């Protein structure tokens, strides 16, 4: 998962033509963004994911932009939340969300009218909100294609790339 998110982060950084520092800090954020999930604090209080990651990153001497982006990449967390304010948080957030959706669609976990156990609709909404708010010059179809390719390369897809892409584009 981390490898795919890093690859998506770098592909998105290239597509957006961000500067070298933003690309490098985005890659570092993608590399360590989920490290707080294995802590006792987040295990006991899941609502603290991201917040604790930001705190731990600061304590470990990570770049301040990386620390903030670790928290922000979870945004928007709910319907009334905002998108990440930093470019780094937005890039990693979109990469992580699109990867989660692609991996689930690849193995056949597709939301139905009454079932969405992995909150994929919320993830998709977060991608769309971020793309609109940031006014990025990249399409959902481009993001979907990159994400599906990475999932397929890892051999976890139980369906054809064409089926997954068609379903994801329809979903979005």
């Amino acid at each position: 998962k981390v490898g795919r998110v890093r690859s998506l982060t770098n592909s998105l950084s290239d597509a957006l033509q961000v500067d070298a520092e933003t690309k490098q800090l985005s890659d570092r954020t993608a590399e360590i963004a989920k490290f707080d999930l294995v802590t006792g604090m987040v295990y006991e209080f899941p609502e603290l994911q991201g917040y604790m990651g930001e705190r731990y990153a600061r304590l470990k001497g990570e770049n301040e932009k990386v620390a903030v982006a670790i928290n922000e990449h979870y945004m928007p967390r709910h319907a009334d939340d905002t998108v990440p304010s930093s470019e780094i948080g937005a890039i990693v957030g979109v990469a992580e969300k699109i990867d989660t959706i692609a991996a689930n669609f690849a193995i056949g976990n597709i939301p139905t009218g009454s079932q969405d156990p992995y909150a994929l609709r919320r993830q998709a909404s977060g991608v769309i909100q971020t793309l609109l708010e940031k006014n990025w010059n990249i399409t959902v179809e481009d993001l979907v294609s990159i994400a599906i390719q990475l999932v397929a390369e890892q051999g976890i897809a139980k369906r054809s790339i064409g089926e997954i892409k068609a379903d994801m584009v329809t979903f979005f």
Side-chain angles (χ1 to χ4, degrees):
K1 169 99 177 152
V2 171
R4 289 192 316 266
V5 172
R6 285 181 76 188
S7 291
L8 277 163
T9 295
N10 287 311
S11 294
L12 185 53
S13 294
D14 290 341
L16 298 173
Q17 299 177 340
V18 300
D19 60 72
E21 179 189 27
T22 299
K23 183 175 180 175
Q24 185 253 337
L25 293 175
S26 295
D27 181 65
R28 178 64 178 158
T29 301
E31 181 179 27
I32 65 171
K34 302 296 185 186
F35 76 122
D36 64 336
L37 297 182
V38 297
T39 67
M41 180 67 75
V42 173
Y43 178 78
E44 192 71 28
F45 302 101
E47 66 275 11
L48 294 179
Q49 70 183 12
Y51 300 109
M52 292 310 298
E54 179 177 0
R55 181 95 170 125
Y56 293 143
R58 283 192 180 113
L59 289 171
K60 288 295 184 181
E62 289 290 338
N63 182 294
E64 178 64 17
K65 291 177 181 179
V66 170
V68 169
I70 289 171
N71 183 10
E72 285 187 339
H73 94 281
Y74 286 103
M75 298 169 83
R77 288 180 170 90
H78 50 78
D80 297 326
D81 202 5
T82 60
V83 301
S85 60
S86 75
E87 196 80 357
I88 297 165
I91 289 168
V92 176
V94 166
E96 197 274 327
K97 288 171 180 64
I98 200 82
D99 176 72
T100 298
I101 297 166
N104 274 278
F105 272 63
I107 61 172
N109 288 338
I110 302 170
T112 64
S114 62
Q115 297 279 321
D116 187 12
Y118 300 102
L120 300 182
R121 286 187 192 99
R122 183 178 55 80
Q123 300 284 321
S125 177
V127 169
I128 297 299
Q129 282 180 262
T130 303
L131 292 177
L132 291 173
E133 182 79 22
K134 296 297 184 182
N135 198 28
W136 287 342
N137 189 24
I138 190 164
T139 66
V140 170
E141 290 85 355
D142 291 339
L143 288 171
V144 165
S145 294
I146 297 165
I148 292 169
Q149 186 61 44
L150 292 169
V151 167
E153 286 173 7
Q154 283 196 330
I156 62 174
K158 295 181 178 178
R159 308 167 60 222
S160 76
I161 290 175
E163 287 175 315
I164 300 166
K165 183 172 183 175
D167 286 347
M168 281 185 71
V169 169
T170 299
F171 177 70
F172 272 95

